Amino acid sequence: MVRYIRQDESQRDKPIGVESPRCPVCGAELDEDDYRLRHYSQLGCWSCPSCKSAAPALDVVASNIREVPEGFLIDIADSTEQLGGRDFAVNDVLVPCTGLYMVYNLLAVRIATALLGCPAEVFRDVVATFDPKNGRLQEYAVGGRAIMTNMAKNPVGFNQNIHMALKYPALYAVAFLMDDMVECNGDYSWVDGIEFSMLRSAVEAGVPVFYGGEIADPLDRALSAAQITAERADTVADVLAKLADDGARKLFVIANYHALERVCAELDRLQATTKQS
């Protein structure tokens, strides 16, 4: 099962969150010259100069990807007849989420639902009305301010979230909150791989950036290394207090897995209090 996305050259973004991909057949390291198209991390259309392997032929394709205020519009089509003889095609699917990785996720969902016999019209309607309630791309409103939460587990995830915020067409602010990750055993050197430098021009244009949580120090170090001026704020309430005089900005709260639950619980309380008042 292949879930690559085909995009026109004019639509593609520059690769972000780039790791050091290796050929899944022989293990040779691949570089940019080995990619015809690269979306982010190791995802894209590659060929290996060592063993001559290449990205497999596409089974199901997302194309005509258009950014709209609500997220993405995409078309899904079959490329082969290898997946159970099902019809996967459906046009103008509204993906009400930002982040190119959501297009990959939707391809996987379409494959699974089509194999289970879900009609294209039902799939389109369900996706368009999807409203996550687990903190991932979840929308809140507190005191008239729009807030979106999302989770990031590693540099690629953080970079995708930064890229998502940078594409927001109106005023916004960004907060990075991280709590202790026991599996890291105190080693947070991976935080240095987050490309905070992508925010530099936005910060220079007046976008506020905040950071905090139980392990704020690695964030502080990485932000400083990227020459990003940011304020310490350990909770959403702290961030909102610092933004009190600028109610027009949407707030993107990017939290690691260990901070997301308490962030959402805090926002649930704040949102409920706002509605009651």
Side-chain angles (χ1 to χ4, degrees), residues 92-122:
D92 296 324
V93 180
L94 174 61
V95 186
C97 301
T98 54
L100 185 62
Y101 62 92
M102 289 302 297
V103 179
Y104 279 87
N105 292 342
L106 258 293
L107 282 176
V109 173
R110 180 55 189 151
I111 291 169
T113 55
L115 290 174
L116 292 171
C118 177
E121 296 77 11
V122 174

PDB file of all heavy atoms in Angstrom, residues 92-122:
ATOM      1  N   ASP A  92     -12.821  16.660  -4.617  1.00  0.00           N
ATOM      2  CA  ASP A  92     -13.196  17.805  -3.777  1.00  0.00           C
ATOM      3  C   ASP A  92     -13.467  17.388  -2.329  1.00  0.00           C
ATOM      4  O   ASP A  92     -14.487  17.747  -1.736  1.00  0.00           O
ATOM      5  CB  ASP A  92     -14.421  18.524  -4.351  1.00  0.00           C
ATOM      6  CG  ASP A  92     -14.139  19.132  -5.709  1.00  0.00           C
ATOM      7  OD1 ASP A  92     -13.009  19.611  -5.914  1.00  0.00           O
ATOM      8  OD2 ASP A  92     -15.046  19.128  -6.565  1.00  0.00           O
ATOM      9  N   VAL A  93     -12.537  16.629  -1.770  1.00  0.00           N
ATOM     10  CA  VAL A  93     -12.636  16.255  -0.360  1.00  0.00           C
ATOM     11  C   VAL A  93     -12.091  17.412   0.479  1.00  0.00           C
ATOM     12  O   VAL A  93     -10.934  17.809   0.323  1.00  0.00           O
ATOM     13  CB  VAL A  93     -11.840  14.975  -0.061  1.00  0.00           C
ATOM     14  CG1 VAL A  93     -11.953  14.613   1.416  1.00  0.00           C
ATOM     15  CG2 VAL A  93     -12.324  13.830  -0.942  1.00  0.00           C
ATOM     16  N   LEU A  94     -12.918  17.959   1.343  1.00  0.00           N
ATOM     17  CA  LEU A  94     -12.471  19.018   2.237  1.00  0.00           C
ATOM     18  C   LEU A  94     -11.840  18.395   3.468  1.00  0.00           C
ATOM     19  O   LEU A  94     -12.494  17.684   4.228  1.00  0.00           O
ATOM     20  CB  LEU A  94     -13.638  19.913   2.651  1.00  0.00           C
ATOM     21  CG  LEU A  94     -13.310  20.982   3.707  1.00  0.00           C
ATOM     22  CD1 LEU A  94     -12.250  21.948   3.187  1.00  0.00           C
ATOM     23  CD2 LEU A  94     -14.569  21.724   4.131  1.00  0.00           C
ATOM     24  N   VAL A  95     -10.557  18.669   3.668  1.00  0.00           N
ATOM     25  CA  VAL A  95      -9.838  18.208   4.850  1.00  0.00           C
ATOM     26  C   VAL A  95      -9.798  19.391   5.817  1.00  0.00           C
ATOM     27  O   VAL A  95      -9.013  20.318   5.629  1.00  0.00           O
ATOM     28  CB  VAL A  95      -8.408  17.755   4.488  1.00  0.00           C
ATOM     29  CG1 VAL A  95      -7.717  17.137   5.704  1.00  0.00           C
ATOM     30  CG2 VAL A  95      -8.438  16.777   3.321  1.00  0.00           C
ATOM     31  N   PRO A  96     -10.642  19.395   6.844  1.00  0.00           N
ATOM     32  CA  PRO A  96     -10.758  20.583   7.701  1.00  0.00           C
ATOM     33  C   PRO A  96      -9.647  20.684   8.741  1.00  0.00           C
ATOM     34  O   PRO A  96      -9.886  20.934   9.915  1.00  0.00           O
ATOM     35  CB  PRO A  96     -12.122  20.385   8.360  1.00  0.00           C
ATOM     36  CG  PRO A  96     -12.261  18.910   8.483  1.00  0.00           C
ATOM     37  CD  PRO A  96     -11.583  18.335   7.251  1.00  0.00           C
ATOM     38  N   CYS A  97      -8.426  20.465   8.298  1.00  0.00           N
ATOM     39  CA  CYS A  97      -7.260  20.530   9.173  1.00  0.00           C
ATOM     40  C   CYS A  97      -6.102  21.082   8.361  1.00  0.00           C
ATOM     41  O   CYS A  97      -6.063  20.927   7.137  1.00  0.00           O
ATOM     42  CB  CYS A  97      -6.876  19.142   9.706  1.00  0.00           C
ATOM     43  SG  CYS A  97      -8.162  18.297  10.640  1.00  0.00           S
ATOM     44  N   THR A  98      -5.165  21.702   9.029  1.00  0.00           N
ATOM     45  CA  THR A  98      -3.970  22.170   8.352  1.00  0.00           C
ATOM     46  C   THR A  98      -2.848  21.174   8.558  1.00  0.00           C
ATOM     47  O   THR A  98      -2.927  20.290   9.397  1.00  0.00           O
ATOM     48  CB  THR A  98      -3.566  23.543   8.898  1.00  0.00           C
ATOM     49  OG1 THR A  98      -3.446  23.465  10.322  1.00  0.00           O
ATOM     50  CG2 THR A  98      -4.586  24.598   8.549  1.00  0.00           C
ATOM     51  N   GLY A  99      -1.811  21.313   7.765  1.00  0.00           N
ATOM     52  CA  GLY A  99      -0.682  20.393   7.854  1.00  0.00           C
ATOM     53  C   GLY A  99      -0.748  19.374   6.740  1.00  0.00           C
ATOM     54  O   GLY A  99      -1.715  18.614   6.631  1.00  0.00           O
ATOM     55  N   LEU A 100       0.292  19.352   5.898  1.00  0.00           N
ATOM     56  CA  LEU A 100       0.294  18.443   4.755  1.00  0.00           C
ATOM     57  C   LEU A 100       0.198  16.988   5.190  1.00  0.00           C
ATOM     58  O   LEU A 100      -0.326  16.145   4.462  1.00  0.00           O
ATOM     59  CB  LEU A 100       1.561  18.673   3.927  1.00  0.00           C
ATOM     60  CG  LEU A 100       1.691  17.887   2.625  1.00  0.00           C
ATOM     61  CD1 LEU A 100       0.570  18.245   1.655  1.00  0.00           C
ATOM     62  CD2 LEU A 100       3.047  18.146   1.973  1.00  0.00           C
ATOM     63  N   TYR A 101       0.686  16.667   6.386  1.00  0.00           N
ATOM     64  CA  TYR A 101       0.630  15.277   6.843  1.00  0.00           C
ATOM     65  C   TYR A 101      -0.803  14.775   6.951  1.00  0.00           C
ATOM     66  O   TYR A 101      -1.064  13.571   6.878  1.00  0.00           O
ATOM     67  CB  TYR A 101       1.346  15.122   8.187  1.00  0.00           C
ATOM     68  CG  TYR A 101       0.750  15.919   9.317  1.00  0.00           C
ATOM     69  CD1 TYR A 101      -0.214  15.365  10.138  1.00  0.00           C
ATOM     70  CD2 TYR A 101       1.149  17.231   9.565  1.00  0.00           C
ATOM     71  CE1 TYR A 101      -0.768  16.099  11.173  1.00  0.00           C
ATOM     72  CE2 TYR A 101       0.605  17.967  10.596  1.00  0.00           C
ATOM     73  CZ  TYR A 101      -0.362  17.397  11.392  1.00  0.00           C
ATOM     74  OH  TYR A 101      -0.918  18.123  12.417  1.00  0.00           O
ATOM     75  N   MET A 102      -1.774  15.713   7.118  1.00  0.00           N
ATOM     76  CA  MET A 102      -3.167  15.293   7.190  1.00  0.00           C
ATOM     77  C   MET A 102      -3.651  14.741   5.853  1.00  0.00           C
ATOM     78  O   MET A 102      -4.555  13.901   5.814  1.00  0.00           O
ATOM     79  CB  MET A 102      -4.050  16.457   7.627  1.00  0.00           C
ATOM     80  CG  MET A 102      -3.875  16.860   9.074  1.00  0.00           C
ATOM     81  SD  MET A 102      -4.203  15.504  10.239  1.00  0.00           S
ATOM     82  CE  MET A 102      -5.935  15.170   9.918  1.00  0.00           C
ATOM     83  N   VAL A 103      -3.056  15.179   4.752  1.00  0.00           N
ATOM     84  CA  VAL A 103      -3.419  14.624   3.443  1.00  0.00           C
ATOM     85  C   VAL A 103      -2.971  13.169   3.371  1.00  0.00           C
ATOM     86  O   VAL A 103      -3.703  12.295   2.880  1.00  0.00           O
ATOM     87  CB  VAL A 103      -2.806  15.462   2.315  1.00  0.00           C
ATOM     88  CG1 VAL A 103      -3.160  14.869   0.950  1.00  0.00           C
ATOM     89  CG2 VAL A 103      -3.288  16.909   2.400  1.00  0.00           C
ATOM     90  N   TYR A 104      -1.775  12.889   3.881  1.00  0.00           N
ATOM     91  CA  TYR A 104      -1.327  11.500   3.951  1.00  0.00           C
ATOM     92  C   TYR A 104      -2.288  10.665   4.800  1.00  0.00           C
ATOM     93  O   TYR A 104      -2.665   9.546   4.448  1.00  0.00           O
ATOM     94  CB  TYR A 104       0.081  11.431   4.549  1.00  0.00           C
ATOM     95  CG  TYR A 104       1.199  11.721   3.584  1.00  0.00           C
ATOM     96  CD1 TYR A 104       1.632  13.022   3.365  1.00  0.00           C
ATOM     97  CD2 TYR A 104       1.823  10.698   2.888  1.00  0.00           C
ATOM     98  CE1 TYR A 104       2.664  13.287   2.481  1.00  0.00           C
ATOM     99  CE2 TYR A 104       2.853  10.950   2.006  1.00  0.00           C
ATOM    100  CZ  TYR A 104       3.273  12.247   1.808  1.00  0.00           C
ATOM    101  OH  TYR A 104       4.285  12.510   0.930  1.00  0.00           O
ATOM    102  N   ASN A 105      -2.678  11.199   5.941  1.00  0.00           N
ATOM    103  CA  ASN A 105      -3.592  10.477   6.820  1.00  0.00           C
ATOM    104  C   ASN A 105      -4.916  10.182   6.121  1.00  0.00           C
ATOM    105  O   ASN A 105      -5.489   9.088   6.258  1.00  0.00           O
ATOM    106  CB  ASN A 105      -3.848  11.286   8.090  1.00  0.00           C
ATOM    107  CG  ASN A 105      -2.624  11.391   8.981  1.00  0.00           C
ATOM    108  OD1 ASN A 105      -1.689  10.613   8.844  1.00  0.00           O
ATOM    109  ND2 ASN A 105      -2.629  12.357   9.881  1.00  0.00           N
ATOM    110  N   LEU A 106      -5.424  11.169   5.368  1.00  0.00           N
ATOM    111  CA  LEU A 106      -6.707  10.992   4.684  1.00  0.00           C
ATOM    112  C   LEU A 106      -6.630   9.935   3.591  1.00  0.00           C
ATOM    113  O   LEU A 106      -7.608   9.225   3.340  1.00  0.00           O
ATOM    114  CB  LEU A 106      -7.190  12.320   4.105  1.00  0.00           C
ATOM    115  CG  LEU A 106      -8.278  13.016   4.923  1.00  0.00           C
ATOM    116  CD1 LEU A 106      -9.579  12.223   4.906  1.00  0.00           C
ATOM    117  CD2 LEU A 106      -7.836  13.241   6.364  1.00  0.00           C
ATOM    118  N   LEU A 107      -5.483   9.823   2.949  1.00  0.00           N
ATOM    119  CA  LEU A 107      -5.325   8.755   1.960  1.00  0.00           C
ATOM    120  C   LEU A 107      -5.448   7.388   2.622  1.00  0.00           C
ATOM    121  O   LEU A 107      -6.100   6.479   2.097  1.00  0.00           O
ATOM    122  CB  LEU A 107      -3.972   8.873   1.265  1.00  0.00           C
ATOM    123  CG  LEU A 107      -3.850   9.928   0.173  1.00  0.00           C
ATOM    124  CD1 LEU A 107      -2.419   9.986  -0.336  1.00  0.00           C
ATOM    125  CD2 LEU A 107      -4.795   9.650  -0.969  1.00  0.00           C
ATOM    126  N   ALA A 108      -4.823   7.239   3.783  1.00  0.00           N
ATOM    127  CA  ALA A 108      -4.918   5.969   4.504  1.00  0.00           C
ATOM    128  C   ALA A 108      -6.363   5.683   4.893  1.00  0.00           C
ATOM    129  O   ALA A 108      -6.849   4.547   4.778  1.00  0.00           O
ATOM    130  CB  ALA A 108      -4.027   6.001   5.746  1.00  0.00           C
ATOM    131  N   VAL A 109      -7.079   6.726   5.350  1.00  0.00           N
ATOM    132  CA  VAL A 109      -8.481   6.558   5.737  1.00  0.00           C
ATOM    133  C   VAL A 109      -9.322   6.175   4.527  1.00  0.00           C
ATOM    134  O   VAL A 109     -10.200   5.305   4.609  1.00  0.00           O
ATOM    135  CB  VAL A 109      -9.020   7.840   6.393  1.00  0.00           C
ATOM    136  CG1 VAL A 109     -10.510   7.733   6.650  1.00  0.00           C
ATOM    137  CG2 VAL A 109      -8.281   8.119   7.697  1.00  0.00           C
ATOM    138  N   ARG A 110      -9.075   6.816   3.388  1.00  0.00           N
ATOM    139  CA  ARG A 110      -9.867   6.504   2.198  1.00  0.00           C
ATOM    140  C   ARG A 110      -9.632   5.064   1.757  1.00  0.00           C
ATOM    141  O   ARG A 110     -10.578   4.359   1.368  1.00  0.00           O
ATOM    142  CB  ARG A 110      -9.518   7.471   1.054  1.00  0.00           C
ATOM    143  CG  ARG A 110     -10.320   7.186  -0.229  1.00  0.00           C
ATOM    144  CD  ARG A 110     -11.808   7.196   0.038  1.00  0.00           C
ATOM    145  NE  ARG A 110     -12.596   6.726  -1.101  1.00  0.00           N
ATOM    146  CZ  ARG A 110     -13.775   6.127  -0.990  1.00  0.00           C
ATOM    147  NH1 ARG A 110     -14.300   5.897   0.208  1.00  0.00           N
ATOM    148  NH2 ARG A 110     -14.440   5.750  -2.058  1.00  0.00           N
ATOM    149  N   ILE A 111      -8.393   4.606   1.807  1.00  0.00           N
ATOM    150  CA  ILE A 111      -8.112   3.221   1.434  1.00  0.00           C
ATOM    151  C   ILE A 111      -8.872   2.258   2.344  1.00  0.00           C
ATOM    152  O   ILE A 111      -9.539   1.329   1.881  1.00  0.00           O
ATOM    153  CB  ILE A 111      -6.595   2.955   1.503  1.00  0.00           C
ATOM    154  CG1 ILE A 111      -5.874   3.718   0.384  1.00  0.00           C
ATOM    155  CG2 ILE A 111      -6.297   1.459   1.399  1.00  0.00           C
ATOM    156  CD1 ILE A 111      -4.367   3.736   0.517  1.00  0.00           C
ATOM    157  N   ALA A 112      -8.800   2.496   3.659  1.00  0.00           N
ATOM    158  CA  ALA A 112      -9.465   1.592   4.605  1.00  0.00           C
ATOM    159  C   ALA A 112     -10.979   1.614   4.427  1.00  0.00           C
ATOM    160  O   ALA A 112     -11.629   0.555   4.398  1.00  0.00           O
ATOM    161  CB  ALA A 112      -9.096   1.986   6.033  1.00  0.00           C
ATOM    162  N   THR A 113     -11.558   2.811   4.309  1.00  0.00           N
ATOM    163  CA  THR A 113     -13.019   2.895   4.204  1.00  0.00           C
ATOM    164  C   THR A 113     -13.520   2.335   2.880  1.00  0.00           C
ATOM    165  O   THR A 113     -14.585   1.700   2.831  1.00  0.00           O
ATOM    166  CB  THR A 113     -13.496   4.342   4.369  1.00  0.00           C
ATOM    167  OG1 THR A 113     -12.824   5.184   3.418  1.00  0.00           O
ATOM    168  CG2 THR A 113     -13.226   4.847   5.776  1.00  0.00           C
ATOM    169  N   ALA A 114     -12.775   2.550   1.796  1.00  0.00           N
ATOM    170  CA  ALA A 114     -13.200   2.000   0.513  1.00  0.00           C
ATOM    171  C   ALA A 114     -13.161   0.480   0.523  1.00  0.00           C
ATOM    172  O   ALA A 114     -14.062  -0.184  -0.015  1.00  0.00           O
ATOM    173  CB  ALA A 114     -12.325   2.548  -0.611  1.00  0.00           C
ATOM    174  N   LEU A 115     -12.135  -0.083   1.144  1.00  0.00           N
ATOM    175  CA  LEU A 115     -12.054  -1.546   1.237  1.00  0.00           C
ATOM    176  C   LEU A 115     -13.191  -2.114   2.076  1.00  0.00           C
ATOM    177  O   LEU A 115     -13.592  -3.272   1.907  1.00  0.00           O
ATOM    178  CB  LEU A 115     -10.707  -1.960   1.831  1.00  0.00           C
ATOM    179  CG  LEU A 115      -9.483  -1.735   0.928  1.00  0.00           C
ATOM    180  CD1 LEU A 115      -8.198  -2.040   1.681  1.00  0.00           C
ATOM    181  CD2 LEU A 115      -9.579  -2.582  -0.334  1.00  0.00           C
ATOM    182  N   LEU A 116     -13.734  -1.290   2.987  1.00  0.00           N
ATOM    183  CA  LEU A 116     -14.880  -1.718   3.796  1.00  0.00           C
ATOM    184  C   LEU A 116     -16.211  -1.382   3.137  1.00  0.00           C
ATOM    185  O   LEU A 116     -17.272  -1.639   3.712  1.00  0.00           O
ATOM    186  CB  LEU A 116     -14.802  -1.051   5.178  1.00  0.00           C
ATOM    187  CG  LEU A 116     -13.654  -1.521   6.082  1.00  0.00           C
ATOM    188  CD1 LEU A 116     -13.559  -0.649   7.319  1.00  0.00           C
ATOM    189  CD2 LEU A 116     -13.859  -2.989   6.479  1.00  0.00           C
ATOM    190  N   GLY A 117     -16.157  -0.793   1.926  1.00  0.00           N
ATOM    191  CA  GLY A 117     -17.375  -0.532   1.178  1.00  0.00           C
ATOM    192  C   GLY A 117     -18.010   0.825   1.393  1.00  0.00           C
ATOM    193  O   GLY A 117     -19.171   1.036   1.024  1.00  0.00           O
ATOM    194  N   CYS A 118     -17.289   1.768   1.978  1.00  0.00           N
ATOM    195  CA  CYS A 118     -17.858   3.091   2.237  1.00  0.00           C
ATOM    196  C   CYS A 118     -17.974   3.885   0.937  1.00  0.00           C
ATOM    197  O   CYS A 118     -16.978   4.081   0.237  1.00  0.00           O
ATOM    198  CB  CYS A 118     -16.978   3.844   3.222  1.00  0.00           C
ATOM    199  SG  CYS A 118     -17.537   5.531   3.566  1.00  0.00           S
ATOM    200  N   PRO A 119     -19.176   4.383   0.593  1.00  0.00           N
ATOM    201  CA  PRO A 119     -19.344   5.169  -0.632  1.00  0.00           C
ATOM    202  C   PRO A 119     -18.567   6.485  -0.569  1.00  0.00           C
ATOM    203  O   PRO A 119     -18.336   7.041   0.507  1.00  0.00           O
ATOM    204  CB  PRO A 119     -20.850   5.431  -0.687  1.00  0.00           C
ATOM    205  CG  PRO A 119     -21.461   4.415   0.219  1.00  0.00           C
ATOM    206  CD  PRO A 119     -20.454   4.163   1.291  1.00  0.00           C
ATOM    207  N   ALA A 120     -18.188   6.980  -1.736  1.00  0.00           N
ATOM    208  CA  ALA A 120     -17.407   8.212  -1.815  1.00  0.00           C
ATOM    209  C   ALA A 120     -18.143   9.378  -1.177  1.00  0.00           C
ATOM    210  O   ALA A 120     -17.535  10.204  -0.483  1.00  0.00           O
ATOM    211  CB  ALA A 120     -17.078   8.532  -3.275  1.00  0.00           C
ATOM    212  N   GLU A 121     -19.447   9.478  -1.387  1.00  0.00           N
ATOM    213  CA  GLU A 121     -20.216  10.605  -0.863  1.00  0.00           C
ATOM    214  C   GLU A 121     -20.224  10.609   0.662  1.00  0.00           C
ATOM    215  O   GLU A 121     -20.126  11.664   1.301  1.00  0.00           O
ATOM    216  CB  GLU A 121     -21.647  10.579  -1.396  1.00  0.00           C
ATOM    217  CG  GLU A 121     -21.761  10.756  -2.900  1.00  0.00           C
ATOM    218  CD  GLU A 121     -21.410   9.489  -3.674  1.00  0.00           C
ATOM    219  OE1 GLU A 121     -21.286   8.399  -3.033  1.00  0.00           O
ATOM    220  OE2 GLU A 121     -21.233   9.583  -4.904  1.00  0.00           O
ATOM    221  N   VAL A 122     -20.352   9.427   1.261  1.00  0.00           N
ATOM    222  CA  VAL A 122     -20.352   9.326   2.717  1.00  0.00           C
ATOM    223  C   VAL A 122     -18.985   9.704   3.264  1.00  0.00           C
ATOM    224  O   VAL A 122     -18.865  10.445   4.250  1.00  0.00           O
ATOM    225  CB  VAL A 122     -20.741   7.898   3.162  1.00  0.00           C
ATOM    226  CG1 VAL A 122     -20.604   7.748   4.677  1.00  0.00           C
ATOM    227  CG2 VAL A 122     -22.158   7.575   2.715  1.00  0.00           C
TER     228      VAL A 122
END
